Amino acid sequence: MSEYRIGYGEDLHRLVEGRDCILAGIKIPSEKGLLGHSDGDVVLHAVSDALLGALALGDIGELFPPTDPSIKGIDSKIILQKAHSLIKENGYRIVNLDVCVTCEKPKILPHREEMKQSLSSLLNLEMNRISLKGKTNEGVDAIGKGEAIRTTCVVLLQKD
Ligand code: MG
């Protein structure tokens, strides 16, 4: 394979009452939380899918099927660690990550540095290689009405 590979990941989870709002491995204060078979961490899912996508290794739904009762409530840090270990086993390392989180609530900016620190420590990656942006959807569609959070991620990998 070539020396550089680019990957893209995208995910969306519904916001509901009675669930925690966990983003990039951090519990964020929020009236609503993320629904999912896992802990619903939409950021770690998008990053994991970007890592897998860069090396054409499938997606997290194949690695961790949402129909598997044994992984109900799984910590998404385990999903990210699996995806990261697969790219390392294939001889690649992360050059940089660019993550975009879109929601009306909670506000991302007050938690951005903590979320970046979490990604930095989970991926053993310097902070200056991690970008994390928060956007709103200007009140449009389900995200704009506060019913869901979407995250997209682009990653560049380099062969060791
Ligand atoms: Mg997901």
Side-chain angles (χ1 to χ4, degrees):
M1 280 198 276
S2 57
E3 186 180 358
Y4 289 98
R5 305 280 296 210
I6 192 165
Y8 172 76
E10 176 173 343
D11 198 22
L12 178 146
H13 280 255
R14 289 174 187 266
L15 280 165
V16 296
E17 289 177 7
R19 293 269 300 184
D20 287 335
C21 185
I22 299 173
L23 294 172
I26 302 294
K27 187 172 166 183
I28 307 288
S30 173
E31 291 164 25
K32 293 180 178 177
L34 291 160
L35 188 63
H37 186 65
S38 66
D39 61 11
D41 192 330
V42 66
V43 174
L44 295 192
H45 294 181
V47 174
S48 300
D49 261 347
L51 292 172
L52 296 173
L55 294 184
L57 295 172
D59 62 65
I60 60 172
E62 293 172 50
L63 293 178
F64 297 93
T67 50
D68 181 351
S70 73
I71 57 167
K72 186 166 168 48
I74 188 174
D75 184 337
S76 295
K77 294 195 277 295
I78 294 168
I79 296 174
L80 181 68
Q81 279 157 359
K82 175 69 179 169
H84 192 213
S85 68
L86 284 172
I87 70 131
K88 288 188 287 186
E89 283 165 23
N90 278 271
Y92 281 80
R93 62 185 172 81
I94 299 170
V95 176
N96 71 303
L97 278 180
D98 194 0
V99 180
C100 186
V101 182
T102 306
C103 57
E104 303 300 310
K105 284 192 205 171
K107 290 293 174 208
I108 298 302
L109 186 59
H111 308 286
R112 187 176 66 185
E113 288 310 297
E114 193 183 359
M115 289 165 69
K116 284 176 61 178
Q117 282 283 0
S118 175
L119 287 169
S120 172
S121 106
L122 288 168
L123 295 168
N124 193 25
L125 189 66
E126 300 99 312
M127 287 285 277
N128 63 8
R129 295 177 183 271
I130 300 169
S131 161
L132 193 148
K133 294 165 288 194
K135 294 174 66 72
T136 74
N137 220 39
E138 296 285 337
V140 177
D141 78 23
I143 293 170
K145 291 179 174 53
E147 295 170 1
I149 299 180
R150 170 176 285 127
T151 300
T152 57
C153 174
V154 175
V155 64
L156 186 67
L157 304 185
Q158 183 175 24
K159 206 167 181 92
D160 273 329

